[in-house]
Amino acid sequence: MIGRAPGTSGLCSERRAGRGAPPARSGPGATWAREIRLPSGYAARPIWSRPRMDSLSLILDTFAPIAGRRILDIGCGPGILAKALAAEGAAVTGIDPGEAAIRAARSRVPAGRFEQASAEALPFPDAGFDGAVILNALHHVPDPRAALAEAARVVGPDRPIVVVEPLAEGSFFAALKPIEDETEIRAAAQAAIAAAIASGAFACRRDVTFARHETFADLPAFLARVTAVDPARQAAIEADADGIAAAFEAAATRTPAGYGLTQPLRAHILVPAA
């Protein structure tokens, strides 16, 4: 378990392992358990963390039972998460500012609804969703505080919003840094979450940090991954190809399958105040 980001201790109602959490479950790969206190109508149950927690599992646990729930995917990109949620029976709506991303999402999830829009100005009425997800997207929003306020408006009081954000640490971050240094915008996203909780606009039901592990066959595979997120990164890659290759080699762990990179992620389950 990776420690709490600096300056945010005590903002969430859930305690970390080593800070009053229940004892670790025995067995290889097990970590710890908490009862997640969610609003009425959502499954509140003790969840033993999996050998490797992942974002999708966390989201499905939060909205369980998810079938039939109206979920807004804010910053949906090409619809990868939306497809997974739809496969579980959710009624998915997604927004993204990118026209190409919305086209891809509509193609990938024909049953979903996808709109080109910014997170700071959602084109939906108040309290129209059962919950929302902002997955790896808040740090890309120019005004993350406004995005959180808009998410609260469209889901309404007492309904969960899952925010998962990459931290400015880990080997994936080190490999990405010479292409795009996201140190400041990632910190700004965490600061916006902390300020929103401290203001009383949200109750924090869960705050957990875990790692995403990815393996790439080679440097071109890694570069394809990061430019798929933002094609504008291609210019930086062309400008410093040797430096980027060296950073990738230094950061990655060689495995029989290729090059392993790890990205710590911090997830908050927020519930808007009434």
Side-chain angles (χ1 to χ4, degrees):
M1 181 67 66
I2 299 164
R4 184 182 296 275
T8 56
S9 177
L11 289 172
C12 192
S13 59
E14 177 169 314
R15 295 170 291 177
R16 296 292 187 93
R19 299 192 182 189
R25 187 185 187 189
S26 60
T31 53
W32 57 287
R34 284 296 295 170
E35 181 175 329
I36 302 175
R37 299 185 294 109
L38 292 175
S40 175
Y42 293 82
R45 52 183 176 169
I47 297 175
W48 289 106
S49 62
R50 295 160 176 78
R52 277 188 184 173
M53 179 181 285
D54 61 87
S55 297
L56 179 59
S57 297
L58 177 69
I59 293 164
L60 294 177
D61 284 337
T62 299
F63 294 111
I66 198 169
R69 294 206 189 274
R70 302 163 298 168
I71 305 299
L72 176 62
D73 183 359
I74 299 172
C76 65
I80 294 171
L81 174 64
K83 181 177 180 179
L85 298 182
E88 297 290 335
V92 182
T93 297
I95 70 97
D96 197 278
E99 182 180 357
I102 292 299
R103 286 199 304 269
R106 287 171 176 164
S107 176
R108 181 171 273 116
V109 193
R113 175 188 175 188
F114 298 94
E115 303 289 345
Q116 186 177 356
S118 74
E120 302 102 322
L122 298 173
F124 307 114
D126 296 356
F129 296 94
D130 298 311
V133 179
I134 310 176
L135 177 61
N136 296 328
L138 188 63
H139 64 288
H140 291 299
V141 178
D143 187 347
R145 285 287 300 275
L148 292 172
E150 272 292 88
R153 179 184 67 79
V154 300
V155 302
D158 211 32
R159 292 175 179 174
I161 300 168
V162 180
V163 184
V164 182
E165 275 291 300
L167 298 176
E169 57 188 72
S171 56
F172 189 99
F173 174 74
L176 176 66
K177 193 172 181 179
I179 301 171
E180 182 176 4
D181 186 353
E182 293 189 338
T183 302
E184 290 188 8
I185 60 173
R186 292 187 183 192
Q190 293 300 322
I193 294 168
I197 297 168
S199 73
F202 295 89
C204 179
R205 296 302 188 221
R206 196 177 188 190
D207 175 0
V208 61
T209 308
F210 56 99
R212 183 187 71 217
H213 304 278
E214 296 182 73
T215 300
F216 300 91
D218 49 24
L219 174 61
F222 170 71
L223 297 179
R225 158 83 163 77
V226 299
T227 54
V229 174
D230 184 357
R233 290 171 172 169
Q234 185 62 41
I237 293 169
E238 294 172 358
D240 187 20
D242 291 343
I244 289 165
F248 175 78
E249 289 284 349
T253 300
R254 290 298 300 269
T255 71
Y259 295 81
L261 293 172
T262 298
Q263 175 59 64
L265 302 170
R266 188 175 182 189
H268 291 83
I269 300 175
L270 306 176
V271 178

